[in-house]
Amino acid sequence: MGLSKEIQDLKDHRSGDRNVLSVYLNTNPGDPDQLNGAWKIHLKNGLKEIDKSLNASEKDTELKYFKETKKKVMDEIEQNKDDLHKGAVIFASENPPLWSVHYVQVPVKSGFHWEDRPVVEQFEYMYKAYPEAGIILPSFGEVRVLDTSMGFVKEDMVYIFDPKLEFWGQDKDMDPTGPHKIGGSKVDFIESRLKENLHRFYKGMAANVKKLKKERGWKEVHVIGETELAIAFAETLSEKPNSCIYKNLNNSKPHIIINQVLEK
């Protein structure tokens, strides 16, 4: 399910009573306010305030639901505490069941809500600012494609050109977490036959990008590569990319590539 559809489902969710917990947690290690894992204190204090309010109201059923939901959320964050990225957004309820967890690489303002519905306003704003996007990194030997949403990589794909068979094919054996070693990337080192066919190969890959954009629900497409290659590939796209960044990042890890796009 695409994120836009999930946000709409969250907006439509109603429990009838207050038993939906919405958690926005800033875990950005680069934020001065998060030194020494300060997010743990913010999480504890935020949930404690809700707990305190419910105890004062003496609504036993509501308090029971909150304690169950709080434990589930705390367990989730504890299990993923070493891989929280810049922020976490969680919507949870016991009745009716709701469990929606998102670890993101974009700014999050911490906040904790206990209502009869998910509080999605900040999440919706984040999505509008950082929607689903395809990041395309063309080179002579391959085209790398990152499928992203809110700065988080959902899939890292590589399509390799076989000079013998002269076609593009996805590299199914690629390690999505590691660096990618690519062959020579200078025009002077490429056989003239391949140089002459480069436009045709890029054009075929551009058609694949168009298909991926529709299937993955990309709202944006960004191209990153050495100047000549990035321009050549961008020109084959049916629609102008949202940005074209002239840097060779083909061997870089996903978070470095994404930061280049987010900081453009």
Side-chain angles (χ1 to χ4, degrees):
M1 176 170 52
L3 195 51
S4 59
K5 175 64 166 60
E6 184 169 351
I7 290 175
Q8 186 57 53
D9 287 348
L10 288 167
K11 292 171 71 173
D12 293 340
H13 184 96
R14 293 292 184 275
S15 63
D17 296 309
R18 289 204 315 169
N19 58 19
V20 180
L21 180 61
S22 301
V23 172
Y24 292 90
L25 187 62
N26 176 8
T27 59
N28 184 2
D31 188 334
D33 292 334
Q34 300 303 318
L35 294 177
N36 301 317
W39 61 265
K40 297 178 183 178
I41 298 175
H42 297 155
L43 175 63
K44 181 180 178 181
N45 289 343
L47 296 177
K48 185 177 180 180
E49 283 300 310
I50 298 176
D51 199 329
K52 183 178 178 181
S53 174
L54 291 177
N55 271 296
S57 69
E58 298 183 350
K59 294 183 178 180
D60 294 341
T61 301
E62 191 175 340
L63 182 60
K64 173 179 174 293
Y65 280 134
F66 173 72
K67 290 185 179 296
E68 291 174 353
T69 307
K70 180 180 75 169
K71 183 180 185 308
K72 191 173 180 181
V73 168
M74 294 288 283
D75 288 346
E76 167 69 25
I77 294 176
E78 175 63 26
Q79 291 169 12
N80 293 277
K81 63 183 179 182
D82 296 325
D83 194 28
L84 290 176
H85 306 288
K86 289 186 177 180
V89 181
I90 301 177
F91 304 101
S93 175
E94 290 296 303
N95 184 32
L98 173 65
W99 186 246
S100 177
V101 180
H102 306 270
Y103 297 106
V104 300
Q105 283 278 33
V106 298
V108 177
K109 182 179 179 181
S110 292
F112 308 89
H113 311 273
W114 179 251
E115 301 291 344
D116 65 343
R117 60 178 180 84
V119 177
V120 301
E121 286 76 11
Q122 183 183 173
F123 193 50
E124 191 171 21
Y125 174 81
M126 291 162 57
Y127 176 67
K128 288 179 179 178
Y130 308 99
E132 284 110 345
I135 303 176
I136 319 300
L137 299 95
S139 75
F140 279 107
E142 66 183 38
V143 171
R144 185 178 176 190
V145 179
L146 301 185
D147 179 15
T148 74
S149 180
M150 289 198 190
F152 187 79
V153 176
K154 296 191 288 185
E155 189 169 0
D156 189 342
M157 300 167 277
V158 169
Y159 295 83
I160 297 177
F161 171 64
D162 188 326
K164 295 180 181 179
L165 301 178
E166 297 192 0
F167 68 82
W168 290 101
Q170 186 174 1
D171 183 2
K172 301 292 187 180
D173 298 324
M174 185 200 74
D175 178 1
T177 61
H180 308 287
K181 300 303 179 185
I182 301 169
S185 59
K186 300 296 183 183
V187 174
D188 294 340
F189 293 96
I190 300 298
E191 297 178 16
S192 60
R193 178 174 61 84
L194 294 182
K195 181 180 177 181
E196 292 169 1
N197 289 335
L198 186 62
H199 176 74
R200 177 165 61 88
F201 302 139
Y202 276 6
K203 190 173 182 180
M205 190 62 210
N208 194 38
V209 169
K210 183 177 182 179
K211 180 182 177 183
L212 286 169
K213 182 179 180 182
K214 181 178 181 180
E215 292 176 347
R216 307 285 176 123
W218 293 342
K219 302 296 187 295
E220 298 179 356
V221 170
H222 304 273
V223 176
I224 304 179
E226 293 185 15
T227 303
E228 185 174 355
L229 299 179
I231 292 174
F233 189 84
E235 289 177 346
T236 67
L237 295 172
S238 58
E239 297 179 4
K240 184 179 179 180
N242 295 80
S243 72
C244 203
I245 300 171
Y246 306 125
K247 289 185 178 182
N248 183 353
L249 298 178
N250 295 76
N251 294 332
S252 300
K253 292 186 176 181
H255 73 274
I256 295 175
I257 298 170
I258 286 178
N259 285 341
Q260 287 293 318
V261 173
L262 297 181
E263 295 169 5
K264 69 182 184 299

